[in-house]
Amino acid sequence: MERTFRVSIALKGLDGVLELAGGVLLLFVSPSQISSLLRLLTQHELSEDPHDLIANSLMHLAGTMNGSSSLFGALYLLLHGAVKIVLVWAVLRDRLWAYPWMIAFLLVFSGYQAYRIVVRFSLGLVLLTAFDIFIVLLTWHEYRSRRAQSANTPR
């Protein structure tokens, strides 16, 4: 169980790094440049299958981006990624204070993700939310185990 926990937490840390990178890109790349890049990346797929869900979703997302949504997205990704990286680092270093913060952080964002799913369904967001809830359960289990170990360790 501990190995599953550590691998899952490490994946969350990698997700945080990717969010930071995405946030930085959104700060320095204009919505029109993003749209052009996505058009280039999806044109082959759309020529083969004009109904491709992922390619069409990416093109729709690119078409709705503007300066303020790009800035919001960048700030969201930067903040979310940075907090996630700090918490993952602390949890992997067995800092007991970080476990409840990780749980709270993931629950708050899972609540927001659930709201987004209700407003506009997204299978990817459903899967991400399910993974976050899985990590919350693993983190809670590990936290209880670590806390019990530290209580039984003589000082």
Side-chain angles (χ1 to χ4, degrees):
M1 183 84 135
E2 182 178 342
R3 184 172 185 199
T4 301
F5 170 71
R6 294 220 174 258
V7 168
S8 298
I9 290 293
L11 287 172
K12 261 300 160 200
L14 178 60
D15 180 42
V17 169
L18 292 173
E19 287 178 348
L20 276 179
V24 168
L25 279 174
L26 282 177
L27 283 177
F28 296 107
V29 179
S30 73
S32 63
Q33 289 172 314
I34 292 171
S35 186
S36 295
L37 177 63
L38 287 176
R39 196 172 14 266
L40 177 71
L41 293 174
T42 59
Q43 76 182 24
H44 176 71
E45 186 60 37
L46 288 173
S47 69
E48 289 182 0
D49 179 10
H51 302 291
D52 184 276
L53 179 66
I54 295 173
N56 279 307
S57 296
L58 287 171
M59 289 308 299
H60 174 73
L61 178 65
T64 61
M65 285 186 69
N66 60 37
S68 63
S69 66
S70 185
L71 180 61
F72 173 79
L75 294 176
Y76 176 88
L77 289 172
L78 289 168
L79 177 65
H80 196 248
V83 169
K84 197 180 294 182
I85 289 169
V86 168
L87 289 174
V88 164
W89 175 84
V91 165
L92 289 175
R93 297 271 185 228
D94 291 327
R95 306 289 196 256
L96 280 181
W97 62 265
Y99 287 75
W101 282 102
M102 176 67 90
I103 292 167
F105 175 75
L106 289 175
L107 286 175
V108 165
F109 278 96
S110 292
Y112 174 71
Q113 290 163 191
Y115 163 75
R116 296 292 306 157
I117 290 166
V118 169
V119 170
R120 181 160 183 219
F121 182 80
S122 162
L123 180 60
L125 199 52
V126 168
L127 295 174
L128 177 65
T129 304
F131 183 62
D132 285 349
I133 298 300
F134 175 69
I135 291 178
V136 164
L137 295 172
L138 286 176
T139 304
W140 176 252
H141 180 271
E142 282 296 314
Y143 176 61
R144 288 180 51 180
S145 174
R146 302 266 186 231
R147 215 172 67 196
Q149 284 175 351
S150 88
N152 292 332
T153 303
R155 295 176 190 221

